[in-house]
Amino acid sequence: MTQDGRLIRGERTRAAVLDQALRLATVSGLDGLSLSQVADALGVSKSGLFAHWRSKEALQLAVIDHARAQWTDQVVRPALAEPAGLRRLWAVHERRLGFYEAGALPGGCFFSNAHFEFNARPGVIRDRLAAEQSAWMDFLTRVATEAVELGDLRAGTDPAQLAYLIEALGVCAVMQAAVLGAAPTFRHARRALHDHLRTVAHHPEDLPELI
Amino acid sequence: MTQDGRLIRGERTRAAVLDQALRLATVSGLDGLSLSQVADALGVSKSGLFAHWRSKEALQLAVIDHARAQWTDQVVRPALAEPAGLRRLWAVHERRLGFYEAGALPGGCFFSNAHFEFNARPGVIRDRLAAEQSAWMDFLTRVATEAVELGDLRAGTDPAQLAYLIEALGVCAVMQAAVLGAAPTFRHARRALHDHLRTVAHHPEDLPELI
C-alpha cells in the first residue's frame, strides 16, 4: 500500500471509530467510554486504537471535536443557510429539534448529556465542555442580535435573554422526549418559542405556521 | 442497647448514608455510585452498609427516594404554602432556582443529572426516574391549571405548555450556572418566566418585582 493509501485508510478508521465512540458516549456516558469498549463494539483490536489515541482522555477530547463537527454540519450550517434575522433564529431551533427527532444519536444529545455529567468534575474534559457551552451560547446570542439589528425583533429585546430561552427549550426537549413521548415534547418546545417570537417580532408572518 | 435504641441508631445511620450517597451521585453519577465509595466517604465498613442495602441497585433506588424527599421538603412544600394560582406558580420556579443557588447538592440537581444519565439505559432505575419525571410534570401542570381555573391567567393558557416552559428554564439554569456564571444564568431563568407570566396574567402586579 502506498503512503497515501495508508493515510486514507487511517483517516477512515479514525472517523469510523469516532462515530462509534460518539454513539456509545451518549448511552453510557463520556466517562464510561473506554478504548476497550470501542474496540469491542467495532470488532477491532485495542492496540490498533492506541495508534490513534494514547489515552482515554485523548479519545474523549477527540469525541468532543467529532460531536461538534456533527452538530455544525447538521444544525449550525443549515441554519446559517437561512436569511439572517427572524428566519435564521427559528431555523436554529427547528434544526436542533429535528436533529433530536431524527434520533441521530441513541442517547439524544451528546453535549447535554456531557454537560450534566461533567459540570461538577474539574479537569481537562470539563474545561473543554465549558468552552463548547460558552461558544454555543455566543452563537445563539449572535443570531438573536442580528435579528434585533435587522429590525426583525422589537428594539428592547435582549439577545442573551432570548438565547437562554432557546437553549432551555432545546435541552428540556431532549431530556423529556424519550420518557414522556416525542410528539407532545417537541410540540411544546416548538410552540413555546413560536409564541414568544410572535410577541416580539415585527413580522410574525415570517414564521412558519405550526400545526 | 435497647431494641428502640438500635432502631434509632439504624435510622440515623441510614439517613446519613443516603445524604452522603445523594451528594456523591450528583458529582460522579448515579451509576458511578457504589457501596464501597459511600463507605469510604463516610469512614464506615462496607459490610455495615450491606445491612441496609443488599445491592448497588437497592442503594440507587433508596437514593432516588431520598432525593425526592429533599425536593419535596425544600421546593414543593414551601411553594404549596403560597396561595394557589399565579403566586404559587411563581413560588415553584423561585424555590427551585433558590435550591440550586444555595448549592444544596454539589452537582447541582440530582434529577436533571440522573435523567440525562439514564434516559437511554433501559432498566429498573430508568423506569423509576421516568415515573419521577412524569409525576413532576403532572405537579407543574396541576399548579398551572389552578392558576387558569382561578382566573389568574388568560383562559386560553395551556397548562401543559406552561409547565414545559417552567421545567425548561429550570433545567437549563442548573446546567449553565456552574459553567457560565450563576448570576447571569439565574437572572435569565427568572426573567424569562416573569416576562412570560406578565403577558398571560390578569394581575401581573401579583408577581414580585425583579431587580
Side-chain angles (χ1 to χ4, degrees):
Chain A
M1 195 181 286
T2 64
Q3 200 182 342
D4 283 358
R6 279 198 302 276
L7 191 67
I8 289 164
R9 184 158 163 265
E11 280 304 306
R12 279 189 194 149
T13 304
R14 191 183 146 85
V17 172
L18 288 176
D19 279 343
Q20 184 65 42
L22 174 55
R23 296 174 57 82
L24 286 170
T26 67
V27 175
S28 56
L30 185 54
D31 197 46
L33 202 63
S34 71
L35 285 166
S36 312
Q37 184 196 29
V38 176
D40 286 352
L42 284 168
V44 299
S45 76
K46 190 177 162 186
S47 60
L49 298 190
F50 266 108
H52 291 279
W53 304 280
R54 291 275 155 197
S55 66
K56 173 173 157 177
E57 193 173 273
L59 176 64
Q60 289 172 321
L61 291 171
V63 167
I64 295 172
D65 285 343
H66 199 66
R68 188 187 195 169
Q70 185 190 54
W71 188 257
T72 300
D73 277 353
Q74 298 191 30
V75 177
V76 174
R77 198 164 293 142
L80 289 176
E82 296 291 320
L86 181 63
R87 276 181 285 186
R88 182 174 293 172
L89 196 57
W90 179 258
V92 173
H93 191 52
E94 182 58 43
R95 287 286 174 168
R96 179 222 203 118
L97 297 178
F99 178 84
Y100 296 155
E101 283 177 301
L105 293 169
C109 180
F110 170 80
F111 285 106
S112 298
N113 287 353
H115 291 326
F116 279 97
E117 187 181 359
F118 276 91
N119 275 354
R121 300 194 213 179
V124 172
I125 303 296
R126 194 259 192 199
D127 291 348
R128 179 66 154 275
L129 289 167
E132 292 291 342
Q133 196 170 146
S134 187
W136 171 244
M137 293 309 292
D138 287 347
F139 169 74
L140 288 179
T141 305
R142 268 202 313 281
V143 175
T145 302
E146 281 174 348
V148 176
E149 288 175 354
L150 290 166
D152 285 2
L153 303 182
R154 271 201 325 238
T157 306
D158 176 348
Q161 180 70 49
L162 181 50
Y164 182 85
L165 176 65
I166 295 172
E167 177 63 4
L169 298 174
V171 167
C172 190
V174 78
M175 182 180 88
Q176 295 200 337
V179 171
L180 303 180
T185 301
F186 290 115
R187 195 170 59 240
H188 287 147
R190 285 194 171 86
R191 171 63 63 193
L193 185 63
H194 203 271
D195 285 354
H196 181 76
L197 291 177
R198 285 176 58 85
T199 70
V200 296
H202 284 130
H203 299 285
E205 67 274 14
D206 286 347
L207 292 167
E209 293 273 339
L210 285 192
I211 301 154
Chain B
M1 193 181 284
T2 64
Q3 199 182 343
D4 282 358
R6 279 198 301 276
L7 191 67
I8 289 164
R9 184 158 164 266
E11 279 305 305
R12 280 189 194 148
T13 304
R14 191 184 146 85
V17 172
L18 288 176
D19 279 342
Q20 184 65 42
L22 174 55
R23 295 173 59 81
L24 285 170
T26 67
V27 176
S28 56
L30 185 54
D31 197 46
L33 202 63
S34 71
L35 286 166
S36 311
Q37 184 196 27
V38 176
D40 286 352
L42 284 168
V44 300
S45 76
K46 189 176 162 186
S47 61
L49 297 189
F50 266 109
H52 291 279
W53 303 278
R54 292 274 154 198
S55 67
K56 173 173 157 178
E57 193 174 271
L59 176 64
Q60 289 172 322
L61 291 171
V63 167
I64 295 172
D65 285 343
H66 198 66
R68 188 186 194 170
Q70 184 190 53
W71 189 255
T72 300
D73 277 353
Q74 298 191 29
V75 178
V76 174
R77 198 165 292 142
L80 289 175
E82 296 291 321
L86 181 63
R87 276 180 285 186
R88 182 174 293 171
L89 197 57
W90 178 258
V92 174
H93 191 52
E94 182 58 43
R95 287 286 174 166
R96 179 221 204 120
L97 297 179
F99 178 84
Y100 297 155
E101 284 177 299
L105 293 169
C109 180
F110 171 80
F111 285 105
S112 299
N113 287 352
H115 292 326
F116 278 98
E117 186 181 359
F118 276 91
N119 275 355
R121 299 196 214 178
V124 172
I125 303 297
R126 195 257 191 202
D127 291 348
R128 180 65 155 276
L129 289 167
E132 292 291 341
Q133 195 170 147
S134 186
W136 171 245
M137 292 310 292
D138 287 347
F139 169 74
L140 288 179
T141 305
R142 269 201 313 281
V143 175
T145 302
E146 282 174 347
V148 175
E149 287 175 353
L150 290 167
D152 285 2
L153 303 182
R154 270 201 325 237
T157 306
D158 176 348
Q161 180 71 48
L162 181 49
Y164 181 86
L165 176 65
I166 295 171
E167 177 63 4
L169 298 174
V171 167
C172 190
V174 77
M175 183 180 88
Q176 295 199 336
V179 171
L180 302 181
T185 300
F186 290 115
R187 195 170 60 240
H188 287 147
R190 284 193 171 87
R191 171 63 62 194
L193 186 62
H194 203 272
D195 285 353
H196 180 76
L197 291 178
R198 285 176 57 85
T199 69
V200 297
H202 284 128
H203 299 285
E205 67 274 13
D206 286 348
L207 291 167
E209 292 273 339
L210 286 193
I211 302 154

